[in-house]
């Protein structure tokens, strides 16, 4: 029989065959069929109930934050349904959504179509579909929220990248072969549900998205700078405004001059001041300034790579560092084991990934 549906599984381990001690192989297992709009609604319901959640208060309203932004999952599933191969030879395979403790994977049967190449995915707005009639129909059919299922303007994957970056999440990876396209979204996120809950408990009002990311960076790395926020796609003036606002609300303390300013959570900064003996000499200002600048640049490079700027050129352009300085900082991070290279030096297409500590997903 044709497998023209979407399957969803929530898995207890990091590979498809892993089982729990009692033999359980699936935490949830759902087949979503019906119309495209119905399949989309069913798979989103299934994913939601298997993700952790935290509430963000926006004015008089409430917004639920999940392990993965629901808009991202929606775009990936719609993209898979729209662009999958519906020819007789591919009807034995369904669109698959797999939720692991450390990643979300959306699998679509059929490779890339037309002139689209893997390097364009998520970077350029490209539109080439093997299912033109379906694309026109989905632009007219409403989903459960009375919005068109698909716009089919090539903006879906770039929108995914933007939404992930706004949520403080790493970009997806793409595995495109003649018979399939697999999209993997790592779970690592600055704004995961526990962090969102922590932010909601702070004595602050009307925090912006930029300030949420700044607070998460301060909590996770100890300090934040304008450069680190730029790594996550925040414009320099918006980063400065967000950080100044956190200082004004009494949440952050600024250290260093205008050029080398960094910001810490008030509680962390006050703790450091308490631990310093009153008679302890101050470090040499020149050395401190240089060391602080290097440390900020190193951390900014880490955040740039984590945010999807994975080559020397991309990091240099995103942070406004010159190419030589960027190369030096990347080499320092490689030596320290904080990032890894995907290929040997001087190899075409060499990129970098952040070495993230494993953090198993916990249930709500």
């Amino acid at each position: 029989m044709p497998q023209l549906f979407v399957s969803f599984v929530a898995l207890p381990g990091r590979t498809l065959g892993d089982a729990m001690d009692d033999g359980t192989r699936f935490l949830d297992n759902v087949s979503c069929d019906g119309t495209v709009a119905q399949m989309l609604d069913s798979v989103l319901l299934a994913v939601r109930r298997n993700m952790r959640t935290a509430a963000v208060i926006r004015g008089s309203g409430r917004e639920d934050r999940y392990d993965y932004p629901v808009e991202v999952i929606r775009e990936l599933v719609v993209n898979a349904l729209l662009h999958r191969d519906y020819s007789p030879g591919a009807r034995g395979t369904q669109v698959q959504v797999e939720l692991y403790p450390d990643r979300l994977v959306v699998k679509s049967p059929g490779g890339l179509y037309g002139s689209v190449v893997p390097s364009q995915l998520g970077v350029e707005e490209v539109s080439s579909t093997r299912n033109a009639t379906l694309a026109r129909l989905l632009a007219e059919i409403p989903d459960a929220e009375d919005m068109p299922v698909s716009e089919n303007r090539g903006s879906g994957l770039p929108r995914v990248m933007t939404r992930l970056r706004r949520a403080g999440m790493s970009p997806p990876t793409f595995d495109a072969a003649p018979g399939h396209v697999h999209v993997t979204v790592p779970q690592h996120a600055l704004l995961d549900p526990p962090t969102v809950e922590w932010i909601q408990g702070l004595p602050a009002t009307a925090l912006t998205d930029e300030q949420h990311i700044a607070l998460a960076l301060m909590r996770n790395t100890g300090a934040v700078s304008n450069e680190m926020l730029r790594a996550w796609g925040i414009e320099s003036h918006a980063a400065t405004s967000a950080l100044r606002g956190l200082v004004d609300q009494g949440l952050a303390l600024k250290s260093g001059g205008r050029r080398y300013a960094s910001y810490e959570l008030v509680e962390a900064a006050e703790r450091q001041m308490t631990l310093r003996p009153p008679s302890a000499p101050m470090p040499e200002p020149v050395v401190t300034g240089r060391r602080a600048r290097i440390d900020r640049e190193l951390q900014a490079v880490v955040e740039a790579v984590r945010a999807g700027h994975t080559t020397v050129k991309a990091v240099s352009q995103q942070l406004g560092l010159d190419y030589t300085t960027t190369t030096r900082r990347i080499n320092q991070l490689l030596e320290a084991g904080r990032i890894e290279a995907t290929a040997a030096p001087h190899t075409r297409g060499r990129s970098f990934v952040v070495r993230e500590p494993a953090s198993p997903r916990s249930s709500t």
Side-chain angles (χ1 to χ4, degrees):
M1 291 291 290
Q3 303 291 296
L4 304 181
F5 62 93
V6 180
S7 66
F8 167 78
V9 290
L11 299 140
R14 288 178 169 77
T15 62
L16 197 55
D18 287 352
M20 299 175 67
D21 292 340
D22 62 0
T24 299
R25 294 178 55 231
F26 301 111
L27 302 176
D28 202 355
N29 187 355
V30 182
S31 293
C32 308
D33 52 20
T35 66
V36 170
Q38 289 169 338
M39 287 189 286
L40 178 62
D41 189 40
S42 296
V43 75
L44 291 179
L45 286 172
V47 178
R48 278 193 186 99
R49 71 169 172 263
N50 285 280
M51 291 193 296
R52 297 175 301 175
T53 183
V56 177
I57 306 302
R58 297 286 192 190
S60 60
R62 161 186 161 138
E63 173 190 337
D64 287 329
R65 287 262 179 99
Y66 295 92
D67 284 319
Y68 305 90
V70 176
E71 308 97 294
V72 166
I73 303 169
R74 182 191 186 282
E75 288 288 350
L76 294 178
V77 174
V78 168
N79 200 65
L81 287 166
L82 175 56
H83 297 293
R84 66 154 290 168
D85 186 354
Y86 287 98
S87 67
R91 291 182 186 175
T93 306
Q94 74 274 19
V95 169
Q96 301 169 70
V97 180
E98 299 169 354
L99 182 64
Y100 295 87
D102 60 347
R103 66 196 187 279
L104 174 79
V105 184
V106 179
K107 299 180 176 180
S108 177
L112 298 177
Y113 183 77
S115 60
V116 181
V117 296
S119 62
Q120 294 176 303
L121 296 176
V123 179
E124 303 176 29
E125 291 193 6
V126 291
S127 181
S128 179
T129 178
R130 57 168 58 89
N131 306 308
T133 301
L134 178 61
R136 288 194 296 270
L137 289 172
L138 295 185
E140 301 294 333
I141 296 173
D143 61 13
E145 297 180 356
D146 205 31
M147 297 291 292
V149 172
S150 171
E151 295 178 349
N152 192 37
R153 295 174 181 169
S155 60
L157 289 180
R159 191 157 54 239
V160 163
M161 306 293 270
T162 299
R163 184 64 185 87
L164 286 173
R165 192 170 290 129
R166 210 171 76 216
M169 298 188 70
S170 301
T173 58
F174 301 94
D175 171 17
H180 69 255
V181 175
H182 296 173
V183 185
T184 300
V185 184
Q187 192 198 66
H188 174 82
L190 291 172
L191 294 173
D192 58 7
T195 301
V196 171
E197 289 181 356
W198 169 76
I199 291 173
Q200 290 304 304
L202 295 174
T205 58
L207 293 172
T208 65
D209 287 340
E210 293 84 359
Q211 288 171 331
H212 277 84
I213 290 179
L215 287 166
L217 283 167
M218 283 187 273
R219 186 189 191 212
N220 293 339
T221 68
V224 68
S225 64
N226 189 292
E227 296 92 335
M228 289 169 65
L229 291 181
R230 285 170 58 191
W232 285 99
I234 299 172
E235 296 291 339
S236 182
H237 70 277
T240 299
S241 176
L243 293 169
R244 185 182 299 126
L246 292 176
V247 172
D248 291 344
Q249 292 205 50
L251 297 178
L253 286 178
K254 177 183 175 182
S255 62
R258 178 178 178 183
R259 187 176 178 186
Y260 302 122
S262 65
Y263 299 79
E264 295 179 72
L265 292 170
V266 165
E267 58 183 26
E270 289 177 345
R271 186 164 56 249
Q272 288 297 322
M273 292 174 66
T274 301
L275 292 174
R276 171 195 285 274
S279 59
M282 292 293 292
E284 183 67 30
V286 174
V287 176
T288 300
R290 181 174 181 275
R291 182 68 254 173
R293 173 177 58 80
I294 293 172
D295 288 344
R296 277 193 300 275
E297 289 174 352
L298 289 169
Q299 191 58 49
V301 170
V302 170
E303 297 304 327
V305 173
R306 184 177 282 133
H309 311 286
T310 58
T311 65
V312 175
K313 181 179 179 181
V315 171
S316 175
Q317 291 176 340
Q318 183 66 22
L319 298 181
L321 296 174
D322 64 73
Y323 194 89
T324 301
T325 299
T326 304
T327 301
R328 186 181 300 122
R329 300 296 175 250
I330 283 178
N331 286 335
Q332 289 174 299
L333 292 168
L334 288 169
E335 291 174 6
R338 296 179 66 186
I339 64 174
E340 294 178 347
T342 60
H346 311 300
T347 302
R348 183 180 177 85
R350 189 183 195 224
S351 60
F352 306 92
V353 295
V354 177
R355 296 185 65 179
E356 304 287 6
S359 54
R361 176 168 57 93
S362 61
S363 58
T364 53

